Amino acid sequence: MSGDVVSAVEVTKRYRGKQTPAVDGISFGIGAGETVGLLGPNGAGKTTLMKLICGVTPATSGTVRVFGLDPVHDPVVAKSGVGAMHQSGPYDEMLSGLDNLRIAARFRGVSWKAVEPWATEVADYLGLTEALPRLVFQLSGGQRQRLQLVRALLTIPRLLILDEPSAGLDVAGRHQVERFVRWLRAEHGVTVLWTSHHIEEIERNCQRVLVISAGRVLRFAEPRELVREYGGSRLVVTVADPVAAKVVAEWADGAGYRATVDDAEVHIDGTAGYDVLPALTRHCQDAGVAISGFGTAADSLEQVFLRMTEKG
C-alpha cells in the first residue's frame, strides 16, 4: 500500500457502549487518480470509515493514512489536500450562498480573492451563478447540494470525498455532477472516494468498488469483476399477454429454474443458453400460446451488491 493516497491497515473502530465494532479489521489502499466507490447497507460502517479518513475520529486500533500521514495527529497537512462533500453541510441559513463560500475559504485558510475565479467557474458550470446571492434557506435541495460541491472544490484537491453527491438532484443534475468529477480526474488527476445509494452511479464512474458489510470488507474489485464473480445471466422470454407469461413461468418452475414475470417479459434465472428453447417452445405450442422473442440479460452491479450483502 506504499504510495497510496488513502490506506487502511487492520483498522478497527469501537464506540463506547456498543458490543460490536463499527469497523472491524478493515484493510485497503486507494491509488493516486483512482475513483473508488464505497458500498454497503445501512449500518455497514461507511460513515465511520469516512470519519476515520477525514480525521474526525481516531481508530481504536490499526492505522489510517492520507497522503502517508495520520489524519488525526497530522490534521493540517493531511487535510490540506482533501475536499469533502457531505450529505448535509453546516450552512448559515441567513447568509447568502456566496457569503457561505467566503466563510468556508477562511476556514480552509485560503484567500477568497485567490479562489474566487475558480469557485465562480465551478458554480457557473453547475448552474448556480444566479442562486449564489440568495440566502441559503431560499435555495432548493438540489441547489444546496451543488453548493456543497462548490465548497468542497474551493481549491482543486488531491483527494475528493463524495458522500451521496447526487442526493436531491434530478437525473440531469446527477449526470452534470458526474461529468464534472470525471473531468477533475482526467485533467487534474484527482483521486475520488465516492459513496452513493444510486449504485448505477458507482458502476458508471468508479474503477474499483469497496463493498463492506457489518464493518468488514466483503470485496474490493472492479465492478465487472464483481458482476463476473457474484452475478449471473438469465434467459428473457418476450410474450404477447399475461396468459402466455404464466405458461412460460410454470414451465420454468417445473424444469427447475426460477422465473419472474415483468410485464411482457419472463426472466428465467439459472440459464442463458438457448438449449432450453426447444422444450419451452414445444410446451407453449401445446398450450396454444405464442412467444414473441428471446434474449439474454446479465445482472447489474446493484443486483450483485444485494446478493453479496444478503450473504455477507
Side-chain angles (χ1 to χ4, degrees):
M1 294 186 184
S2 176
D4 286 333
V5 170
V6 180
S7 65
V9 179
E10 292 297 321
V11 173
T12 295
K13 176 64 181 181
R14 294 180 180 275
Y15 290 107
R16 186 175 299 174
K18 300 291 184 179
Q19 291 186 340
T20 58
V23 168
D24 189 6
I26 281 182
S27 297
F28 65 89
I30 300 174
E34 270 197 294
T35 299
V36 169
L38 176 60
L39 291 179
N42 291 335
K46 300 190 300 298
T47 300
T48 296
L49 186 56
M50 290 282 198
K51 288 180 178 179
L52 290 165
I53 293 170
C54 290
V56 175
T57 186
T60 304
S61 62
T63 59
V64 178
R65 294 292 181 265
V66 178
F67 314 126
L69 301 168
D70 186 326
V72 174
H73 296 102
D74 299 297
V76 175
V77 181
K79 296 177 185 179
S80 63
V82 178
M85 178 184 179
H86 301 289
Q87 288 188 54
S88 59
Y91 291 122
D92 188 321
E93 300 276 336
M94 298 307 295
L95 291 179
S96 68
L98 191 58
D99 285 337
N100 273 273
L101 292 179
R102 291 190 179 109
I103 292 170
R106 176 164 292 190
F107 273 109
R108 292 282 295 273
V110 296
S111 161
W112 173 248
K113 185 177 180 180
V115 301
E116 183 179 8
W118 167 248
T120 302
E121 184 178 339
V122 176
D124 183 59
Y125 177 84
L126 295 175
L128 270 182
T129 303
E130 294 183 1
L132 285 181
R134 293 163 54 192
L135 302 182
V136 167
F137 82 87
Q138 296 175 316
L139 302 182
S140 68
Q143 288 171 329
R144 289 179 182 225
Q145 192 72 355
R146 290 194 290 272
L147 185 61
Q148 282 267 54
L149 183 55
V150 178
R151 184 164 62 179
L153 294 170
L154 287 174
T155 60
I156 299 174
R158 294 169 60 193
L159 171 65
L160 176 61
I161 296 175
L162 300 174
D163 187 6
E164 301 291 343
S166 61
L169 298 179
D170 59 17
V171 173
R174 286 167 56 189
H175 283 274
Q176 185 183 48
V177 169
E178 289 177 33
R179 285 194 301 271
F180 188 70
V181 173
R182 287 197 296 268
W183 177 83
L184 282 172
R185 178 175 178 267
E187 292 295 318
H188 298 282
V190 175
T191 303
V192 183
L193 178 59
W194 190 323
T195 181
S196 176
H197 284 105
H198 296 287
I199 298 180
E200 72 280 4
E201 190 174 279
I202 299 295
E203 191 168 16
R204 280 195 301 268
N205 295 286
C206 298
Q207 284 72 54
R208 291 196 291 166
V209 181
L210 181 66
V211 184
I212 65 174
S213 182
R216 297 181 179 181
V217 174
L218 296 183
R219 197 77 167 81
F220 190 20
E222 296 179 9
R224 60 185 177 185
E225 281 187 58
L226 297 176
V227 171
R228 184 168 59 245
E229 186 173 345
Y230 294 93
S233 54
R234 56 197 173 278
L235 184 66
V236 180
V237 183
T238 306
V239 293
D241 52 56
V243 174
K246 182 178 180 181
V247 169
V248 172
E250 288 176 346
W251 174 88
D253 291 338
Y257 303 113
R258 189 171 73 89
T260 55
V261 177
D262 182 10
D263 293 330
E265 293 181 345
V266 182
H267 294 247
I268 303 177
D269 293 336
T271 179
Y274 290 98
D275 54 311
V276 303
L277 296 186
L280 174 56
T281 302
R282 284 195 301 270
H283 178 80
C284 290
Q285 288 175 341
D286 292 343
V289 300
I291 293 176
S292 304
F294 301 98
T296 59
D299 284 340
S300 65
L301 181 62
E302 181 173 341
Q303 291 166 314
V304 166
F305 167 73
L306 291 172
R307 188 173 297 126
M308 289 178 69
T309 51
E310 284 169 0
K311 291 180 179 179

